[in-house]
Amino acid sequence: EIVELSPVTWLPLIPFLALDTSVDFEHDVISAASANAFETCGDFISTPGVFYPTVALQVLGLTWGLYNFWKMASIKGMLTLSMMLS
């Protein structure tokens, strides 16, 4: 049995992730095929104001995903136990 998480669980992170990726739009880089993608490729790592919030958001997203996984596993454990008893 596969348990799927609702897309609503990631809803609080969408505005932060959208703001975090605005550095690409600032330099008119939409994809790796953009004309000036090579010129701005180092801006992401060399700019601490962009890099550190990105790392923080990735850690927050990973933590949120692990929390959801743990919560679903505990719910599954409770349901499995109650189904076995009845």
Side-chain angles (χ1 to χ4, degrees), residues 22-52:
S22 65
V23 70
D24 295 333
F25 299 121
E26 181 181 326
H27 295 101
D28 295 328
V29 177
I30 297 172
S31 68
S34 297
N36 60 344
F38 181 74
E39 297 170 4
T40 62
C41 65
D43 288 343
F44 178 75
I45 293 177
S46 66
T47 308
V50 175
F51 182 70
Y52 293 130

PDB file of all heavy atoms in Angstrom, residues 22-52:
ATOM      1  N   SER A  22      14.599  33.575  -7.496  1.00  0.00           N
ATOM      2  CA  SER A  22      14.487  34.785  -8.309  1.00  0.00           C
ATOM      3  C   SER A  22      15.830  35.268  -8.826  1.00  0.00           C
ATOM      4  O   SER A  22      15.881  36.122  -9.697  1.00  0.00           O
ATOM      5  CB  SER A  22      13.811  35.900  -7.505  1.00  0.00           C
ATOM      6  OG  SER A  22      14.629  36.274  -6.419  1.00  0.00           O
ATOM      7  N   VAL A  23      16.939  34.748  -8.316  1.00  0.00           N
ATOM      8  CA  VAL A  23      18.253  35.153  -8.822  1.00  0.00           C
ATOM      9  C   VAL A  23      18.395  34.786 -10.291  1.00  0.00           C
ATOM     10  O   VAL A  23      19.047  35.479 -11.051  1.00  0.00           O
ATOM     11  CB  VAL A  23      19.388  34.536  -7.971  1.00  0.00           C
ATOM     12  CG1 VAL A  23      19.486  33.036  -8.174  1.00  0.00           C
ATOM     13  CG2 VAL A  23      20.712  35.187  -8.318  1.00  0.00           C
ATOM     14  N   ASP A  24      17.754  33.721 -10.729  1.00  0.00           N
ATOM     15  CA  ASP A  24      17.801  33.346 -12.136  1.00  0.00           C
ATOM     16  C   ASP A  24      17.082  34.378 -13.001  1.00  0.00           C
ATOM     17  O   ASP A  24      17.546  34.707 -14.083  1.00  0.00           O
ATOM     18  CB  ASP A  24      17.172  31.970 -12.345  1.00  0.00           C
ATOM     19  CG  ASP A  24      17.960  30.875 -11.665  1.00  0.00           C
ATOM     20  OD1 ASP A  24      19.168  31.040 -11.489  1.00  0.00           O
ATOM     21  OD2 ASP A  24      17.344  29.864 -11.307  1.00  0.00           O
ATOM     22  N   PHE A  25      15.957  34.865 -12.538  1.00  0.00           N
ATOM     23  CA  PHE A  25      15.208  35.849 -13.304  1.00  0.00           C
ATOM     24  C   PHE A  25      15.907  37.214 -13.289  1.00  0.00           C
ATOM     25  O   PHE A  25      15.783  37.986 -14.220  1.00  0.00           O
ATOM     26  CB  PHE A  25      13.784  35.981 -12.762  1.00  0.00           C
ATOM     27  CG  PHE A  25      13.018  34.694 -12.851  1.00  0.00           C
ATOM     28  CD1 PHE A  25      12.505  34.112 -11.717  1.00  0.00           C
ATOM     29  CD2 PHE A  25      12.831  34.066 -14.059  1.00  0.00           C
ATOM     30  CE1 PHE A  25      11.803  32.930 -11.788  1.00  0.00           C
ATOM     31  CE2 PHE A  25      12.131  32.881 -14.154  1.00  0.00           C
ATOM     32  CZ  PHE A  25      11.613  32.307 -13.013  1.00  0.00           C
ATOM     33  N   GLU A  26      16.634  37.470 -12.229  1.00  0.00           N
ATOM     34  CA  GLU A  26      17.362  38.729 -12.136  1.00  0.00           C
ATOM     35  C   GLU A  26      18.408  38.838 -13.238  1.00  0.00           C
ATOM     36  O   GLU A  26      18.662  39.905 -13.768  1.00  0.00           O
ATOM     37  CB  GLU A  26      18.012  38.831 -10.769  1.00  0.00           C
ATOM     38  CG  GLU A  26      18.785  40.106 -10.534  1.00  0.00           C
ATOM     39  CD  GLU A  26      19.424  40.125  -9.157  1.00  0.00           C
ATOM     40  OE1 GLU A  26      18.827  39.572  -8.218  1.00  0.00           O
ATOM     41  OE2 GLU A  26      20.523  40.680  -9.040  1.00  0.00           O
ATOM     42  N   HIS A  27      19.022  37.730 -13.581  1.00  0.00           N
ATOM     43  CA  HIS A  27      20.059  37.714 -14.616  1.00  0.00           C
ATOM     44  C   HIS A  27      19.533  37.224 -15.956  1.00  0.00           C
ATOM     45  O   HIS A  27      20.315  36.905 -16.842  1.00  0.00           O
ATOM     46  CB  HIS A  27      21.228  36.830 -14.175  1.00  0.00           C
ATOM     47  CG  HIS A  27      21.937  37.357 -12.976  1.00  0.00           C
ATOM     48  ND1 HIS A  27      21.735  36.854 -11.718  1.00  0.00           N
ATOM     49  CD2 HIS A  27      22.819  38.375 -12.832  1.00  0.00           C
ATOM     50  CE1 HIS A  27      22.480  37.519 -10.851  1.00  0.00           C
ATOM     51  NE2 HIS A  27      23.143  38.451 -11.494  1.00  0.00           N
ATOM     52  N   ASP A  28      18.211  37.134 -16.106  1.00  0.00           N
ATOM     53  CA  ASP A  28      17.577  36.646 -17.332  1.00  0.00           C
ATOM     54  C   ASP A  28      18.050  35.254 -17.720  1.00  0.00           C
ATOM     55  O   ASP A  28      18.199  34.937 -18.900  1.00  0.00           O
ATOM     56  CB  ASP A  28      17.809  37.610 -18.502  1.00  0.00           C
ATOM     57  CG  ASP A  28      17.141  38.949 -18.276  1.00  0.00           C
ATOM     58  OD1 ASP A  28      16.073  38.965 -17.613  1.00  0.00           O
ATOM     59  OD2 ASP A  28      17.670  39.973 -18.742  1.00  0.00           O
ATOM     60  N   VAL A  29      18.324  34.429 -16.728  1.00  0.00           N
ATOM     61  CA  VAL A  29      18.705  33.045 -16.984  1.00  0.00           C
ATOM     62  C   VAL A  29      17.504  32.181 -16.647  1.00  0.00           C
ATOM     63  O   VAL A  29      17.142  32.017 -15.489  1.00  0.00           O
ATOM     64  CB  VAL A  29      19.931  32.629 -16.142  1.00  0.00           C
ATOM     65  CG1 VAL A  29      20.257  31.163 -16.363  1.00  0.00           C
ATOM     66  CG2 VAL A  29      21.113  33.492 -16.492  1.00  0.00           C
ATOM     67  N   ILE A  30      16.887  31.629 -17.687  1.00  0.00           N
ATOM     68  CA  ILE A  30      15.705  30.796 -17.484  1.00  0.00           C
ATOM     69  C   ILE A  30      16.099  29.332 -17.416  1.00  0.00           C
ATOM     70  O   ILE A  30      15.546  28.557 -16.652  1.00  0.00           O
ATOM     71  CB  ILE A  30      14.684  31.051 -18.603  1.00  0.00           C
ATOM     72  CG1 ILE A  30      14.231  32.507 -18.532  1.00  0.00           C
ATOM     73  CG2 ILE A  30      13.503  30.114 -18.495  1.00  0.00           C
ATOM     74  CD1 ILE A  30      13.389  32.947 -19.676  1.00  0.00           C
ATOM     75  N   SER A  31      17.069  28.937 -18.213  1.00  0.00           N
ATOM     76  CA  SER A  31      17.539  27.554 -18.203  1.00  0.00           C
ATOM     77  C   SER A  31      19.025  27.542 -18.551  1.00  0.00           C
ATOM     78  O   SER A  31      19.625  28.579 -18.827  1.00  0.00           O
ATOM     79  CB  SER A  31      16.743  26.721 -19.216  1.00  0.00           C
ATOM     80  OG  SER A  31      17.053  27.119 -20.530  1.00  0.00           O
ATOM     81  N   ALA A  32      19.592  26.356 -18.571  1.00  0.00           N
ATOM     82  CA  ALA A  32      21.013  26.239 -18.906  1.00  0.00           C
ATOM     83  C   ALA A  32      21.274  26.575 -20.364  1.00  0.00           C
ATOM     84  O   ALA A  32      22.409  26.846 -20.754  1.00  0.00           O
ATOM     85  CB  ALA A  32      21.498  24.832 -18.598  1.00  0.00           C
ATOM     86  N   ALA A  33      20.224  26.590 -21.172  1.00  0.00           N
ATOM     87  CA  ALA A  33      20.381  26.907 -22.584  1.00  0.00           C
ATOM     88  C   ALA A  33      20.330  28.411 -22.855  1.00  0.00           C
ATOM     89  O   ALA A  33      20.470  28.833 -24.005  1.00  0.00           O
ATOM     90  CB  ALA A  33      19.283  26.205 -23.391  1.00  0.00           C
ATOM     91  N   SER A  34      20.141  29.225 -21.835  1.00  0.00           N
ATOM     92  CA  SER A  34      20.102  30.674 -22.027  1.00  0.00           C
ATOM     93  C   SER A  34      21.458  31.189 -22.481  1.00  0.00           C
ATOM     94  O   SER A  34      22.493  30.604 -22.168  1.00  0.00           O
ATOM     95  CB  SER A  34      19.702  31.374 -20.733  1.00  0.00           C
ATOM     96  OG  SER A  34      18.401  30.998 -20.354  1.00  0.00           O
ATOM     97  N   ALA A  35      21.430  32.300 -23.201  1.00  0.00           N
ATOM     98  CA  ALA A  35      22.668  32.837 -23.785  1.00  0.00           C
ATOM     99  C   ALA A  35      23.689  33.252 -22.727  1.00  0.00           C
ATOM    100  O   ALA A  35      24.880  33.044 -22.900  1.00  0.00           O
ATOM    101  CB  ALA A  35      22.326  34.022 -24.687  1.00  0.00           C
ATOM    102  N   ASN A  36      23.242  33.843 -21.632  1.00  0.00           N
ATOM    103  CA  ASN A  36      24.187  34.320 -20.619  1.00  0.00           C
ATOM    104  C   ASN A  36      24.256  33.402 -19.399  1.00  0.00           C
ATOM    105  O   ASN A  36      24.673  33.818 -18.331  1.00  0.00           O
ATOM    106  CB  ASN A  36      23.831  35.736 -20.192  1.00  0.00           C
ATOM    107  CG  ASN A  36      22.441  35.830 -19.604  1.00  0.00           C
ATOM    108  OD1 ASN A  36      21.642  34.927 -19.786  1.00  0.00           O
ATOM    109  ND2 ASN A  36      22.157  36.915 -18.921  1.00  0.00           N
ATOM    110  N   ALA A  37      23.874  32.161 -19.547  1.00  0.00           N
ATOM    111  CA  ALA A  37      23.910  31.228 -18.414  1.00  0.00           C
ATOM    112  C   ALA A  37      25.334  30.987 -17.930  1.00  0.00           C
ATOM    113  O   ALA A  37      25.585  30.888 -16.733  1.00  0.00           O
ATOM    114  CB  ALA A  37      23.256  29.907 -18.799  1.00  0.00           C
ATOM    115  N   PHE A  38      26.298  30.924 -18.862  1.00  0.00           N
ATOM    116  CA  PHE A  38      27.680  30.668 -18.471  1.00  0.00           C
ATOM    117  C   PHE A  38      28.277  31.851 -17.718  1.00  0.00           C
ATOM    118  O   PHE A  38      29.060  31.676 -16.796  1.00  0.00           O
ATOM    119  CB  PHE A  38      28.533  30.336 -19.704  1.00  0.00           C
ATOM    120  CG  PHE A  38      29.951  30.034 -19.360  1.00  0.00           C
ATOM    121  CD1 PHE A  38      30.291  28.827 -18.772  1.00  0.00           C
ATOM    122  CD2 PHE A  38      30.964  30.950 -19.607  1.00  0.00           C
ATOM    123  CE1 PHE A  38      31.594  28.539 -18.442  1.00  0.00           C
ATOM    124  CE2 PHE A  38      32.277  30.673 -19.278  1.00  0.00           C
ATOM    125  CZ  PHE A  38      32.587  29.462 -18.692  1.00  0.00           C
ATOM    126  N   GLU A  39      27.881  33.056 -18.075  1.00  0.00           N
ATOM    127  CA  GLU A  39      28.438  34.252 -17.437  1.00  0.00           C
ATOM    128  C   GLU A  39      27.980  34.396 -15.996  1.00  0.00           C
ATOM    129  O   GLU A  39      28.701  34.936 -15.155  1.00  0.00           O
ATOM    130  CB  GLU A  39      28.035  35.497 -18.228  1.00  0.00           C
ATOM    131  CG  GLU A  39      28.585  35.529 -19.630  1.00  0.00           C
ATOM    132  CD  GLU A  39      27.972  36.644 -20.449  1.00  0.00           C
ATOM    133  OE1 GLU A  39      27.180  37.428 -19.886  1.00  0.00           O
ATOM    134  OE2 GLU A  39      28.273  36.720 -21.647  1.00  0.00           O
ATOM    135  N   THR A  40      26.783  33.941 -15.679  1.00  0.00           N
ATOM    136  CA  THR A  40      26.238  34.113 -14.330  1.00  0.00           C
ATOM    137  C   THR A  40      26.247  32.829 -13.519  1.00  0.00           C
ATOM    138  O   THR A  40      25.653  32.782 -12.447  1.00  0.00           O
ATOM    139  CB  THR A  40      24.793  34.632 -14.413  1.00  0.00           C
ATOM    140  OG1 THR A  40      23.995  33.660 -15.087  1.00  0.00           O
ATOM    141  CG2 THR A  40      24.718  35.952 -15.110  1.00  0.00           C
ATOM    142  N   CYS A  41      26.923  31.783 -13.986  1.00  0.00           N
ATOM    143  CA  CYS A  41      26.858  30.497 -13.288  1.00  0.00           C
ATOM    144  C   CYS A  41      27.538  30.537 -11.920  1.00  0.00           C
ATOM    145  O   CYS A  41      27.181  29.782 -11.037  1.00  0.00           O
ATOM    146  CB  CYS A  41      27.438  29.382 -14.147  1.00  0.00           C
ATOM    147  SG  CYS A  41      29.188  29.537 -14.481  1.00  0.00           S
ATOM    148  N   GLY A  42      28.493  31.408 -11.690  1.00  0.00           N
ATOM    149  CA  GLY A  42      29.160  31.461 -10.398  1.00  0.00           C
ATOM    150  C   GLY A  42      28.492  32.384  -9.396  1.00  0.00           C
ATOM    151  O   GLY A  42      28.858  32.397  -8.226  1.00  0.00           O
ATOM    152  N   ASP A  43      27.513  33.165  -9.850  1.00  0.00           N
ATOM    153  CA  ASP A  43      26.851  34.113  -8.944  1.00  0.00           C
ATOM    154  C   ASP A  43      26.134  33.417  -7.801  1.00  0.00           C
ATOM    155  O   ASP A  43      26.039  33.944  -6.703  1.00  0.00           O
ATOM    156  CB  ASP A  43      25.846  34.984  -9.713  1.00  0.00           C
ATOM    157  CG  ASP A  43      26.557  36.001 -10.596  1.00  0.00           C
ATOM    158  OD1 ASP A  43      27.753  36.228 -10.352  1.00  0.00           O
ATOM    159  OD2 ASP A  43      25.910  36.534 -11.500  1.00  0.00           O
ATOM    160  N   PHE A  44      25.614  32.247  -8.064  1.00  0.00           N
ATOM    161  CA  PHE A  44      24.842  31.542  -7.041  1.00  0.00           C
ATOM    162  C   PHE A  44      25.697  31.171  -5.839  1.00  0.00           C
ATOM    163  O   PHE A  44      25.339  31.437  -4.701  1.00  0.00           O
ATOM    164  CB  PHE A  44      24.217  30.291  -7.652  1.00  0.00           C
ATOM    165  CG  PHE A  44      23.441  29.488  -6.669  1.00  0.00           C
ATOM    166  CD1 PHE A  44      22.190  29.911  -6.244  1.00  0.00           C
ATOM    167  CD2 PHE A  44      23.944  28.313  -6.159  1.00  0.00           C
ATOM    168  CE1 PHE A  44      21.464  29.177  -5.340  1.00  0.00           C
ATOM    169  CE2 PHE A  44      23.225  27.574  -5.242  1.00  0.00           C
ATOM    170  CZ  PHE A  44      21.980  28.004  -4.831  1.00  0.00           C
ATOM    171  N   ILE A  45      26.851  30.583  -6.095  1.00  0.00           N
ATOM    172  CA  ILE A  45      27.701  30.127  -4.987  1.00  0.00           C
ATOM    173  C   ILE A  45      28.521  31.266  -4.409  1.00  0.00           C
ATOM    174  O   ILE A  45      28.785  31.309  -3.215  1.00  0.00           O
ATOM    175  CB  ILE A  45      28.598  28.968  -5.468  1.00  0.00           C
ATOM    176  CG1 ILE A  45      27.722  27.759  -5.789  1.00  0.00           C
ATOM    177  CG2 ILE A  45      29.636  28.603  -4.431  1.00  0.00           C
ATOM    178  CD1 ILE A  45      28.447  26.586  -6.340  1.00  0.00           C
ATOM    179  N   SER A  46      28.910  32.216  -5.222  1.00  0.00           N
ATOM    180  CA  SER A  46      29.777  33.282  -4.728  1.00  0.00           C
ATOM    181  C   SER A  46      29.017  34.387  -3.995  1.00  0.00           C
ATOM    182  O   SER A  46      29.636  35.233  -3.367  1.00  0.00           O
ATOM    183  CB  SER A  46      30.574  33.885  -5.890  1.00  0.00           C
ATOM    184  OG  SER A  46      29.694  34.537  -6.785  1.00  0.00           O
ATOM    185  N   THR A  47      27.703  34.381  -4.056  1.00  0.00           N
ATOM    186  CA  THR A  47      26.913  35.400  -3.369  1.00  0.00           C
ATOM    187  C   THR A  47      26.338  34.805  -2.089  1.00  0.00           C
ATOM    188  O   THR A  47      25.405  34.008  -2.142  1.00  0.00           O
ATOM    189  CB  THR A  47      25.760  35.891  -4.272  1.00  0.00           C
ATOM    190  OG1 THR A  47      26.297  36.267  -5.533  1.00  0.00           O
ATOM    191  CG2 THR A  47      25.042  37.061  -3.636  1.00  0.00           C
ATOM    192  N   PRO A  48      26.878  35.151  -0.913  1.00  0.00           N
ATOM    193  CA  PRO A  48      26.375  34.565   0.336  1.00  0.00           C
ATOM    194  C   PRO A  48      24.905  34.905   0.610  1.00  0.00           C
ATOM    195  O   PRO A  48      24.196  34.118   1.225  1.00  0.00           O
ATOM    196  CB  PRO A  48      27.275  35.172   1.418  1.00  0.00           C
ATOM    197  CG  PRO A  48      28.470  35.669   0.705  1.00  0.00           C
ATOM    198  CD  PRO A  48      28.022  36.017  -0.683  1.00  0.00           C
ATOM    199  N   GLY A  49      24.451  36.042   0.130  1.00  0.00           N
ATOM    200  CA  GLY A  49      23.054  36.424   0.351  1.00  0.00           C
ATOM    201  C   GLY A  49      22.069  35.548  -0.391  1.00  0.00           C
ATOM    202  O   GLY A  49      20.886  35.547  -0.079  1.00  0.00           O
ATOM    203  N   VAL A  50      22.555  34.802  -1.360  1.00  0.00           N
ATOM    204  CA  VAL A  50      21.706  33.874  -2.102  1.00  0.00           C
ATOM    205  C   VAL A  50      21.987  32.439  -1.677  1.00  0.00           C
ATOM    206  O   VAL A  50      21.076  31.636  -1.508  1.00  0.00           O
ATOM    207  CB  VAL A  50      21.936  34.037  -3.626  1.00  0.00           C
ATOM    208  CG1 VAL A  50      21.160  33.007  -4.409  1.00  0.00           C
ATOM    209  CG2 VAL A  50      21.569  35.431  -4.066  1.00  0.00           C
ATOM    210  N   PHE A  51      23.254  32.121  -1.490  1.00  0.00           N
ATOM    211  CA  PHE A  51      23.640  30.738  -1.207  1.00  0.00           C
ATOM    212  C   PHE A  51      23.142  30.260   0.153  1.00  0.00           C
ATOM    213  O   PHE A  51      22.558  29.185   0.262  1.00  0.00           O
ATOM    214  CB  PHE A  51      25.163  30.599  -1.302  1.00  0.00           C
ATOM    215  CG  PHE A  51      25.650  29.200  -1.079  1.00  0.00           C
ATOM    216  CD1 PHE A  51      25.398  28.220  -2.023  1.00  0.00           C
ATOM    217  CD2 PHE A  51      26.344  28.870   0.067  1.00  0.00           C
ATOM    218  CE1 PHE A  51      25.844  26.932  -1.823  1.00  0.00           C
ATOM    219  CE2 PHE A  51      26.791  27.584   0.272  1.00  0.00           C
ATOM    220  CZ  PHE A  51      26.539  26.611  -0.681  1.00  0.00           C
ATOM    221  N   TYR A  52      23.365  31.046   1.205  1.00  0.00           N
ATOM    222  CA  TYR A  52      22.995  30.605   2.548  1.00  0.00           C
ATOM    223  C   TYR A  52      21.477  30.475   2.739  1.00  0.00           C
ATOM    224  O   TYR A  52      21.022  29.498   3.342  1.00  0.00           O
ATOM    225  CB  TYR A  52      23.613  31.507   3.605  1.00  0.00           C
ATOM    226  CG  TYR A  52      25.123  31.390   3.643  1.00  0.00           C
ATOM    227  CD1 TYR A  52      25.930  32.512   3.604  1.00  0.00           C
ATOM    228  CD2 TYR A  52      25.739  30.149   3.681  1.00  0.00           C
ATOM    229  CE1 TYR A  52      27.317  32.407   3.622  1.00  0.00           C
ATOM    230  CE2 TYR A  52      27.122  30.029   3.700  1.00  0.00           C
ATOM    231  CZ  TYR A  52      27.894  31.158   3.674  1.00  0.00           C
ATOM    232  OH  TYR A  52      29.264  31.044   3.696  1.00  0.00           O
TER     233      TYR A  52
END
